[in-house]
Amino acid sequence: MSGQDHVFIFDTTLRDGEQSPGASMTLEEKLQVAEILDDMGVDIIEAGFPIASNGDFEAVSEIAKRAKRSVIAGLARAIHADIDRAGDAVRHAERGRIHTFVSTSPIHLEHQMKKTEAQVLDIITDTVTRARNLIDDVEWSAMDATRTPIEYLCRCVEAAIRAGATTINLPDTVGYATPDEYKAMFQAIRESVPDADKAVFSVHCHNDLGLAVANSLAGVAGGARQIECTINGLGERAGNAALEEIVMALRTRSDVLPYACGVDPKFLTRASKLVSAVSGFPVQYNKAIVGKNAFAHESGIHQDGMLKNAETYEIMRPEDVGVRATSLVMGKHSGRHAFRQKLEELGYEIGDNAFEEAFRRFKELADRKKHVYDEDIEALVENEIATQGEQIKVIALTVIAGTGGPQKAILTMDVDGKHETRECSGDGPVDATFNAIKAIVPHEAKLSLYQVHAVTEGTDAQGEVSVRLEANGRISTGKGADTDTLVASARAYVSALNKLLARQNRPDHQELKAV
Ligand code: KIV
Ligand code: ZN
């Protein structure tokens, strides 16, 4: 992997992104995300933190076995057990990487690690050497690099390169840097550290001040040649630099950003939708590149200009990032074959059972809704993907609502293969529905988010509901879509509850976090 002006794209959606509270994904979901990242040309996929849990280990090793092109990285703290576990997880990859990190800033050393600078230097030499004894491709990260005095950071980087690190990542862990500072840091390190040219330098920016993408590009101007980022900018707190924004900035402004990357932008929209569906994090409407309004021109002046020449107001074309013109799909008479073709066209490959269920739900939808659009099919299939193998399912719901009150819900659910029905009242039909779920599956989780948006236009549009539940410090999110918003609400709640239950039932449900 070399080339002066090639910038390696390192995606950490499955590690830093998945650490975002409530964004945890199942193995099946992680495999789907990894597959699209591999297909779209991401150079390195950070697939997880193998020591964190058996589930994380299994995900990293399965992704490592399946990857066709991408390097697969596993994260490890500066601890032998972590490094060995990461090495084991990426063992089957065509090209594997161990990514090990340690904090270098005075505030982390004093309060978190309780170690001296000299001790941390020894740890770097020891742990990078250990990783290099397992694998040739080793990335070392200086956590909180941007709050580390530059002289000490230089010594750390020198130690890591001498011990064999092939990539040096200098993260802006707390999203504190400005673009000029970040660029200057890379320039200073690359100028003063002996053998700096033996490693690829990498940026890793958090978005606390909304500067993650700007900082990443500034780091590249300072000599970095790897960018760590996530789909939709997913990540803890305000998230990480958004992959889609980086890729499109490099492409659209190649006149001033002369760096090539291997990502095919046509995958961006699909990847964004998939990550949003499996993480349960909706994409904001005005999000750059992948937001619903990213290519919508409302004002009269803009529309007039667009009609005369699209370049008057459009610096990228929607089709460049994989947005298709909205098309009407088949109606209620369409058969299995046409439905399968439509799924292929939309880029979905789903197993036979999931296909049958999605087809059944499509028929139901086509019976109720006059026009079924691509967006409807996408919402339906993503729902199906997200709910595969769930322990509890919504079977039937009848709601009595209106001004009279009290509102009531009669709900039947399948719990581990057994149907159970309850009737409950509540403060409104949503509350009544959620009370019925609680009556069937008693639990302590608190509802911390309830959000509805319409998938398409019109009064017969499907409502897509997002629900976030919190229990014992754990957060899980679920989505549901249906023309009946209450059914969508029940599905979203049950999907979030399934994720919480699945995590509670894991034998190793301790969860470690990096930053
Ligand atoms: O933000 C950070 O410092 C990290 C490291 C683990 C690379 O995510
Ligand atoms: Zn991070």
Side-chain angles (χ1 to χ4, degrees):
M1 298 217 304
S2 72
Q4 188 60 6
D5 292 319
H6 182 88
V7 173
F8 298 111
I9 300 294
F10 175 115
D11 180 278
T12 182
T13 306
L14 295 173
R15 200 279 297 170
D16 221 339
E18 211 239 357
Q19 275 179 212
S20 185
S24 71
M25 302 171 201
T26 63
L27 173 64
E28 189 47 45
E29 290 167 344
K30 289 182 186 177
L31 294 176
Q32 285 170 25
V33 172
E35 187 176 4
I36 196 166
L37 294 174
D38 194 12
D39 288 346
M40 77 200 279
V42 160
D43 298 288
I44 303 110
I45 299 173
E46 185 161 56
F49 189 10
I51 196 87
S53 67
N54 289 341
D56 252 53
F57 178 86
E58 197 191 341
V60 177
S61 42
E62 200 49 46
I63 291 168
K65 282 181 203 151
R66 294 182 188 203
K68 299 181 282 280
R69 297 193 288 184
S70 310
V71 172
I72 303 303
L75 186 71
R77 291 169 300 182
I79 297 174
H80 286 189
D82 277 40
I83 293 170
D84 296 350
R85 192 81 171 137
D88 234 11
V90 300
R91 193 157 47 98
H92 297 293
E94 191 80 33
R95 295 187 300 156
R97 172 180 294 188
I98 297 177
H99 175 195
T100 181
F101 69 97
V102 69
S103 288
T104 53
S105 67
I107 189 162
H108 281 215
L109 260 57
E110 186 186 338
H111 298 287
Q112 198 181 1
M113 300 186 60
K114 309 215 183 305
K115 297 254 186 275
T116 64
E117 289 190 347
Q119 284 172 319
V120 170
L121 281 170
D122 287 344
I123 291 173
I124 295 169
T125 303
D126 174 58
T127 52
V128 173
T129 305
R130 179 133 189 143
R132 269 307 300 259
N133 284 336
L134 298 174
I135 203 159
D136 287 342
D137 188 344
V138 172
E139 172 168 337
W140 175 76
S141 287
M143 185 182 262
D144 208 14
T146 50
R147 293 193 298 168
T148 303
I150 196 80
E151 298 74 27
Y152 179 59
L153 190 57
C154 284
R155 288 167 61 209
C156 293
V157 170
E158 187 180 341
I161 294 178
R162 204 174 323 111
T166 44
T167 301
I168 299 291
N169 181 36
L170 302 178
D172 185 25
T173 305
V174 292
Y176 179 71
T178 64
D180 286 348
E181 284 172 348
Y182 203 51
K183 175 179 172 185
M185 180 184 76
F186 281 94
Q187 284 171 328
I189 299 265
R190 292 183 66 249
E191 269 160 27
S192 14
V193 172
D195 289 332
D197 58 344
K198 293 217 167 102
V200 171
F201 279 80
S202 169
V203 298
H204 177 114
C205 297
H206 283 267
N207 205 27
D208 300 66
L209 293 174
L211 291 172
V213 171
N215 282 340
S216 302
L217 296 174
V220 171
R225 287 294 177 271
Q226 173 177 289
I227 303 181
E228 305 200 353
C229 45
T230 59
I231 301 287
N232 296 339
L234 194 67
E236 267 195 275
R237 308 187 310 276
N240 290 60
L243 180 146
E244 60 279 4
E245 294 176 23
I246 302 269
V247 168
M248 289 315 286
L250 292 179
R251 192 182 147 111
T252 310
R253 295 307 313 274
S254 58
D255 53 335
V256 287
L257 300 168
Y259 318 105
C261 84
V263 172
D264 179 349
K266 292 222 161 47
F267 285 83
L268 294 176
T269 299
R270 193 146 66 79
S272 163
K273 286 189 173 163
L274 176 65
V275 169
S276 172
V278 299
S279 66
F281 274 55
V283 175
Q284 84 199 46
Y285 277 19
N286 58 341
K287 164 85 179 62
I289 318 297
V290 291
K292 202 176 159 98
N293 290 355
F295 296 95
H297 298 269
E298 278 286 338
S299 95
I301 298 176
H302 285 210
Q303 284 181 351
D304 176 57
M306 287 290 293
L307 289 173
K308 290 177 176 143
N309 179 343
E311 281 179 25
T312 49
Y313 288 98
E314 208 165 60
I315 58 167
M316 301 165 276
R317 292 171 313 160
E319 55 271 30
D320 295 342
V321 299
V323 175
R324 291 171 322 275
T326 299
S327 68
L328 203 60
V329 296
M330 324 76 71
K332 60 179 173 186
H333 300 297
S334 311
R336 275 191 174 66
H337 183 64
F339 186 65
R340 198 178 275 284
Q341 261 187 339
K342 183 47 124 186
L343 293 190
E344 270 168 27
E345 191 190 310
L346 295 175
Y348 293 110
E349 274 173 48
I350 57 176
D352 287 345
N353 291 347
F355 173 82
E356 283 309 323
E357 185 55 23
F359 182 65
R360 188 188 64 73
R361 298 220 5 229
F362 159 70
K363 284 299 224 185
E364 253 177 41
L365 185 66
D367 262 343
R368 280 185 283 153
K369 196 169 183 296
K370 202 158 145 213
H371 300 303
V372 179
Y373 296 93
D374 285 354
E375 288 93 327
D376 288 313
I377 304 270
E378 281 166 351
L380 192 148
V381 175
E382 269 150 25
N383 214 242
E384 194 44 47
I385 291 170
T387 57
Q388 266 173 51
E390 286 190 334
Q391 199 185 337
I392 44 181
K393 290 193 179 82
V394 175
I395 301 295
L397 174 68
T398 305
V399 176
I400 301 164
T403 49
Q407 289 78 16
K408 265 194 205 152
I410 304 150
L411 175 72
T412 303
M413 297 209 297
D414 181 316
V415 182
D416 290 328
K418 242 179 83 199
H419 282 199
E420 297 205 29
T421 302
R422 294 285 187 287
E423 179 176 323
C424 287
S425 57
D427 194 2
V430 175
D431 192 43
T433 304
F434 291 176
N435 286 342
I437 297 173
K438 277 185 222 144
I440 297 176
V441 183
H443 58 274
E444 294 297 318
K446 296 260 167 308
L447 178 71
S448 59
L449 174 108
Y450 172 78
Q451 199 168 276
V452 187
H453 87 267
V455 172
T456 57
E457 321 267 288
T459 49
D460 66 349
Q462 291 194 85
E464 188 168 54
V465 177
S466 305
V467 157
R468 187 181 297 157
L469 295 179
E470 293 193 27
N472 307 323
R474 288 204 173 72
I475 298 178
S476 89
T477 47
K479 273 190 180 188
D482 199 276
T483 48
D484 185 324
T485 311
L486 293 167
V487 173
S489 304
R491 289 208 179 113
Y493 192 107
V494 166
S495 163
L497 188 58
N498 270 303
K499 286 189 190 170
L500 269 186
L501 295 175
R503 267 197 281 160
Q504 269 165 20
N505 294 343
R506 263 189 227 149
D508 62 325
H509 82 257
Q510 113 267 16
E511 276 162 33
L512 286 177
K513 282 184 170 194
V515 167

